[in-house]
């Protein structure tokens, strides 16, 4: 039994059980938009991951992942940020639990701007300033920093999958940049 | 097969399957704080339900319930509001999907201010003005309107179960009343 | 002495005094984005005014105006909504005083996305569902309803002055449409 | 001419002019709630100043002050935080300009929970994590850190003037602690 299994305890699900749950319940996710801020708190850069999707396609992505059984939302945020950005990223998870928006990913395209062919996921979205050194880990190939204007570029937005371009646009609007 | 089963489709779970999921995944909920507003939009009254709990105890409660598979969050809000307040309540679900806070109900008491012995539930919380006539339905015995000052009274707060007194206090603070 | 003068009492300023204050203090404003919502609370249309500017140019605009001395922010919102949309618009001012963003209009272009050659104004921005009949009044020539997709069109956004296209984009993002 | 005068430029007002403006226009303020957070972003302590009021009474207070002409809201926040907490406090002004609430201070008591005998002030309220060493400056006599439960104590709340106890309660609710 691996550490991961021990940690999640009763929350551990076999691949088959998780697949079954995904067809029957909305799955709780978190989305994090990593940003660099200047000493006035103004966002200067947004970090986007480069990831190889299950279909082999390379896509840009936000930091995103499932909340586990008996896990606090802010612990899930930190776990996914560390998994994707490495242990030295020094993320500053917001003090308030209020997400700036929620993203409803539906298995059926077109219900909302968000789409996830595998499941119905509802994601709590946060902007997270990171102050340390980011080293993409695991299935994240690269982290690229974009200025707000670069991130808004239709070419960049088109590289985000599953409607995350919509979520990025919402984050930029929330940040006022 | 009942209509309810047809509607939720693959999302239908037997009692056993739902019990099993409740031990393994955080379950997505919505909480609604029903309010009356005056013509300036100022909250004048907060509606609290009187409910018989599973242990037979009578408790006050907010409108609360699960989000189903393939159901929009705002559809879940409307479904639970109609179930508890009746079909003529005319709830005004907020235009923005941003909840005013999230409530993390843990099966273990003390992890957060919120507690649910049956499950780990994460709830998106909204304030919902209702303009019509409210008729408590099903397991809701009564709906009582309280002014903000009455709702803040320690005696009233003590009648709310599972930490919903904390959520009500957060709603009042968010409303500035 | 006109009614308007009586109402604002000590808050009355001569044109000269107001001009002088505008060179020395940030002036408090409200911006309202009027919307139509369906019975699920989803925004279906955004209302934009057509206005003749001081330079004679016709521009689109949000509902916007100054908060007076001793006036509540929500009273200022209602006053400007009634002034621009008429007395039968039935605006639903939000129950929470939290604006979805603030817009800092600077007399110097480029400090923020917002610009006001006359003054430094800081505006509290709200989305306001309107349920009644809108009849543009006074210097508002027309009110036009746009779907979210139409409102996002670069051609429409270009018709908004002073950076209000930025504010409209922020409102759409906040609404998740 | 002092530096302060040079900095604010045309925004400089004589004491008489400021007194006159205070009787005729709402004055724009910022309120900051200084907090300590742990490495999960959870607020562990709230900082309250001890101040000698104009009437000689010692009162607790939040960091609060005016926004100057041609000053960004976040610059005003940083200026007042530095003035009260010293130059080594390392405040982390939020990346989003959205305040968690607004406080409307009226010269007439009872209009809102907030009262300021000198003026009608509208304040944008933010929670600001501070990471460095705080040294109260100028008219701030002392900075004391309270846990959320201590800060909520009626005895502590009673030491805050002008309705800032209400604002502190709103901040704690927004933070979910």
């Amino acid at each position: 039994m691996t550490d991961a299994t021990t940690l999640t305890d009763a929350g551990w699900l076999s691949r088959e059980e998780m697949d079954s749950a995904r067809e029957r319940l909305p799955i709780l996710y978190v989305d994090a938009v990593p940003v660099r801020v200047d000493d006035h708190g103004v966002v200067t850069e947004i970090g986007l991951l480069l990831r190889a999707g299950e279909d082999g396609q390379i896509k840009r992505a936000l930091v995103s992942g499932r909340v586990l059984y008996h896990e606090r939302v802010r612990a899930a945020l930190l776990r996914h940020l560390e998994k994707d950005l490495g242990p030295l990223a020094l993320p500053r998870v917001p003090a308030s639990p209020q997400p700036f928006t929620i993203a409803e990913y539906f298995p059926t395209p077109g219900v909302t701007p968000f789409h996830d062919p595998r499941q119905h996921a509802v994601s709590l979205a946060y902007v997270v300033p990171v102050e340390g050194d980011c080293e993409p880990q695991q299935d994240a190939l690269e982290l690229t920093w974009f200025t707000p204007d670069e991130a808004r570029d239709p070419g960049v937005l088109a590289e985000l999958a599953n409607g995350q371009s919509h979520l990025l646009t919402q984050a930029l609007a929330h940040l006022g940049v």
Side-chain angles (χ1 to χ4, degrees), chain A:
Chain A
M1 217 184 214
T2 71
D3 279 3
T5 313
T6 313
L7 274 170
T8 59
D9 199 347
W12 181 81
L13 294 176
S14 70
R15 162 74 76 158
E16 289 71 28
E17 288 170 314
M18 189 66 215
D19 285 349
S20 162
R22 285 190 153 126
E23 285 168 17
R24 291 159 180 237
L25 284 175
I27 306 296
L28 185 67
Y29 265 61
V30 285
D31 274 312
V33 182
V35 298
R36 296 283 195 197
V37 297
D38 69 15
D39 55 10
H40 278 58
V42 176
V43 168
T44 54
E45 290 178 313
I46 293 100
L48 297 178
L49 298 167
L50 211 57
R51 240 190 236 292
E54 294 188 3
D55 57 356
Q57 273 211 299
I58 306 291
K59 281 289 186 182
R60 294 206 189 275
L62 302 172
V63 173
S64 187
R66 195 155 73 80
V67 181
L68 298 178
Y69 180 75
H70 219 283
E71 185 182 39
R72 293 291 306 266
V73 165
R74 54 178 74 244
L77 270 173
L78 281 168
R79 182 170 54 82
H80 289 292
L81 285 160
E82 178 163 344
K83 180 165 62 68
D84 284 340
L85 306 184
L88 306 174
L90 299 180
R92 306 293 179 193
V93 172
S96 168
Q98 185 185 32
F100 73 87
T101 197
I102 59 164
E104 302 179 68
Y105 295 85
F106 273 75
T108 316
V111 180
T112 71
F114 305 102
H115 173 55
D116 187 336
R118 297 168 303 165
Q119 62 190 343
H120 173 202
V122 176
S123 183
L124 312 175
Y126 299 89
V127 171
V128 182
V130 296
E131 297 186 355
D133 292 326
C134 297
E135 289 281 344
Q137 309 277 314
Q138 301 193 14
D139 61 332
L141 307 175
E142 199 185 296
L143 178 77
T144 315
W145 293 103
F146 295 89
T147 66
D149 281 345
E150 290 166 352
R152 230 188 306 269
D153 183 87
V156 171
L157 291 177
E159 293 174 8
L160 285 150
N162 295 344
Q164 287 198 335
S165 58
H166 192 80
L167 194 56
L168 175 55
T169 304
Q170 288 178 283
L172 293 169
H174 174 67
L175 295 165
V177 291

